Amino acid sequence: MSTFRNLVIWQKSISLTTKIYHSTRNFPKEEIFGLSSQIRRATVSIPSNIAVRIWQR
């Protein structure tokens, strides 16, 4: 049985999420709870939404 983990788009979104987490580590400390947090949450939602949609089928 195929899962969402086998989808190329999901794998690429996980890769993007990892890159974003590494990039936002270098943001100024005053942005930790502002822009950095918002960017991270938005990026995490991409693979999460893909997984939920596949699960709902």
Side-chain angles (χ1 to χ4, degrees):
M1 179 156 96
S2 181
T3 67
F4 61 89
R5 288 186 176 100
N6 296 334
L7 295 173
V8 174
I9 190 69
W10 186 82
Q11 294 168 1
K12 287 185 178 188
S13 67
I14 290 295
S15 176
L16 174 66
T17 301
T18 303
K19 289 176 185 175
I20 293 294
Y21 263 78
H22 288 288
S23 296
T24 55
R25 239 188 313 184
N26 299 325
F27 278 26
K29 295 298 176 199
E30 59 270 8
E31 289 297 336
I32 285 200
F33 298 110
L35 186 59
S36 179
S37 175
Q38 186 176 359
I39 291 171
R40 287 178 172 189
R41 284 183 282 126
T43 306
V44 167
S45 75
I46 298 168
S48 299
N49 287 333
I50 292 169
V52 167
R53 182 64 183 128
I54 295 301
W55 179 77
Q56 288 176 345
R57 285 186 182 186

